Amino acid sequence: MRRTRVTATAAVVLGAALVLSGCGRGADGATGGTDSGAGAAAEGKATGVIEIWTAGGHADNLQELAGPWLDDNPDASLKVTDIPWDQVITKIQTATAAGTGPDIIMTGSDQTATVIGMGGFDKVPDGVYQADDFYSAAIDSVTGPDGAYAMPWYVETRFLFYRKDLAEQLGLSAPTTWEDMKAMATAFKTRPGGTYGLSLPKPTESPAQVIVPFVAQAGGSMTDGEKWTIDTPEFVQALDFYAGFFTRGEAPAETTDATFENGGTPMFISGPWMLDVYQELIDKGTAPADFTMDSVGYAVSPAGPGGNNDQYIGGGNLGVFSAAKNKEAAWSLLSWMGQTEQQQAWYGLQKELPANIAAGDDSAIQENPVTKTLMEQMQDTVAPPNYPAWSQISDLISKYSEQVARGELSSADAAKQIQTQADSIGFGW
């Protein structure tokens, strides 16, 4: 949940071709808490070295972004180290156990709860930022059992991709409802030469990434803030919707040569990084001859029976390490980085969408058809359940969704099985 980067190349190509909180613990407009005992340093008063761990290739641009802040705080300096995404949790675990590490740590939105649960982040002091300035689903991703423990930094979401050229041949346009999406999948599969209607994460490929948004689109939630709420009509409806594509043979349940570009799986849900993937295939000459960027259609997710089209929110968050040595300067820098001007500047440097809502009004974002679609979808997003135990619950969803997709178990029975085990596991705080 932390990969989105909209490149200029993809934006130009697509330009030519064509908030709902999910965790049940919405913030109240303030970040609430000074348990760390260290607030932000006053403007111009930050001193010392601020050590930062970033992930996924953010170090150089973060150093550049911070230039004006360093000019205003001449007695402070930054040391930024970029680490691989798959090492983030391990390195934080080691640092937490040793009681030594950086001042600021970047985590993916789907990693933050784990770090909060292990005691790796301080609670955010009052006044560092106002939660109402950020997407509520992004605030959910930084919220622990008693307040916020990090600041949303950038956001991403996913939307629907479909083969626009094939849809036009069938007289279809982008689906706007679940029924439209089912009808398009059927039409794609049954057309002359058709193989499948769409691609979804297989039951062995973390299907929760689509099932949880489907639950939200059905009008449900995975928790009520006190317990898991899985044995519900909305979860059953979402699992039926997901599994139905497999039982009807419209989505491949096994590895296949059918792809989006060869027309075998002409619809899927993902993020804008796929535009770069297709452009690269075309540039290398490895895409089918009739596949161009004009073939790629995209739109916000179809709405479910709950009347909304909520999609997963992802991105990156920044928190102050519990054993940090320079907390006042670290909070001062984070507060500055969360402001609208800096969030817009970050988009200019890294092409990652700002978590600050007002920053999304930037013309560079609104005039780009890709990011404009993303920002439209951002208005309807749901966070991954922000609990340390979520990975265990997600594994249960994978296990039981496979049985449902294979026709071995009903969605209602699967929901009861998952609920019973989730009740035993709890949230993991």
Side-chain angles (χ1 to χ4, degrees):
M1 299 307 302
R2 45 191 179 270
R3 187 179 175 183
T4 291
R5 179 172 176 173
V6 184
T7 68
T9 299
V12 170
V13 170
L14 265 291
L18 169 190
V19 179
L20 182 67
S21 174
C23 293
R25 297 191 315 282
D28 59 4
T31 54
T34 54
D35 291 357
S36 68
E43 185 176 355
K45 299 295 185 181
T47 63
V49 178
I50 305 171
E51 186 174 354
I52 306 174
W53 284 354
T54 59
H58 292 80
D60 290 345
N61 282 336
L62 180 52
Q63 186 84 43
E64 182 174 346
L65 178 79
W69 183 86
L70 291 171
D71 290 342
D72 291 338
N73 293 270
D75 293 326
S77 62
L78 302 187
K79 178 183 178 183
V80 188
T81 302
D82 202 68
I83 57 179
W85 277 119
D86 60 1
Q87 296 180 21
V88 169
I89 296 299
T90 300
K91 287 184 70 68
I92 297 174
Q93 286 174 329
T94 301
T96 302
T100 182
D103 299 294
I104 296 173
I105 296 174
M106 176 180 169
T107 56
S109 61
D110 55 349
Q111 299 172 324
T112 307
T114 300
V115 178
I116 296 171
M118 72 174 72
F121 281 148
D122 267 356
K123 197 172 178 182
V124 180
D126 290 329
V128 169
Y129 66 86
Q130 291 297 310
D132 288 346
D133 291 341
F134 297 82
Y135 292 103
S136 60
I139 291 296
D140 269 357
S141 75
V142 302
T143 302
D146 58 349
Y149 281 78
M151 183 187 77
W153 173 224
Y154 68 90
V155 292
E156 61 153 62
T157 190
R158 302 180 179 202
F159 48 78
L160 186 76
F161 286 82
Y162 67 101
R163 281 292 297 266
K164 185 176 63 171
D165 53 343
L166 300 180
E168 289 174 348
Q169 292 172 16
L170 296 168
L172 300 173
S173 55
T176 60
T177 66
W178 278 14
E179 292 306 313
D180 291 345
M181 186 172 168
K182 288 167 64 175
M184 180 174 276
T186 299
F188 279 149
K189 174 180 169 55
T190 58
R191 79 186 196 281
T195 307
Y196 297 102
L198 81 170
S199 175
L200 288 171
K202 299 178 182 63
T204 55
E205 297 174 340
S206 299
Q209 63 186 283
V210 294
I211 293 174
V212 171
F214 288 161
V215 172
Q217 291 165 18
S221 177
M222 296 298 292
T223 83
D224 61 7
E226 301 294 331
K227 63 182 184 302
W228 296 105
T229 52
I230 298 169
D231 186 11
T232 64
E234 293 82 8
F235 184 89
V236 171
Q237 198 168 20
L239 189 51
D240 276 340
F241 182 62
Y242 165 80
F245 291 107
F246 293 97
T247 57
R248 292 189 300 272
E250 293 165 353
E254 309 293 343
T255 301
T256 175
D257 293 333
T259 65
F260 182 76
E261 57 271 25
N262 69 22
T265 51
M267 184 166 47
F268 66 97
I269 299 167
S270 191
W273 54 83
M274 293 306 302
L275 302 174
D276 288 337
V277 172
Y278 296 133
Q279 185 62 55
E280 184 175 354
L281 291 175
I282 292 168
D283 290 344
K284 288 183 176 180
T286 54
D290 61 348
F291 180 78
T292 71
M293 293 308 289
D294 288 329
S295 306
V296 183
Y298 58 95
V300 295
S301 297
N308 70 79
N309 69 333
D310 291 334
Q311 193 49 256
Y312 243 160
I313 192 173
N317 301 321
L318 296 170
V320 171
F321 184 49
S322 56
K325 297 180 177 64
N326 199 0
K327 294 184 180 183
E328 291 185 357
W331 287 124
S332 176
L333 175 61
L334 288 193
S335 182
W336 179 85
M337 290 168 65
Q339 296 169 12
T340 301
E341 183 179 355
Q342 280 68 252
Q343 288 269 289
Q344 290 176 335
W346 183 247
Y347 174 77
L349 289 168
Q350 190 79 9
K351 296 297 182 285
E352 289 173 338
L353 295 179
N356 179 301
I357 297 171
D361 292 335
D362 187 6
S363 60
I365 295 173
Q366 292 298 325
E367 293 174 5
N368 177 329
V370 180
T371 51
K372 185 176 181 180
T373 301
L374 278 169
M375 296 307 291
E376 182 180 352
Q377 183 68 70
M378 278 302 307
Q379 308 307 311
D380 299 288
T381 50
V382 59
N386 188 41
Y387 301 99
W390 170 237
S391 62
Q392 295 173 264
I393 308 304
S394 178
D395 288 344
L396 289 174
I397 293 173
S398 296
K399 173 185 175 180
Y400 286 100
S401 67
E402 180 173 14
Q403 295 181 40
V404 176
R406 293 186 183 280
E408 300 167 356
L409 189 69
S410 71
S411 294
D413 287 341
K416 292 183 186 300
Q417 295 274 6
I418 298 170
Q419 181 72 59
T420 297
Q421 295 178 60
D423 287 341
S424 177
I425 293 169
F427 288 158
W429 293 122

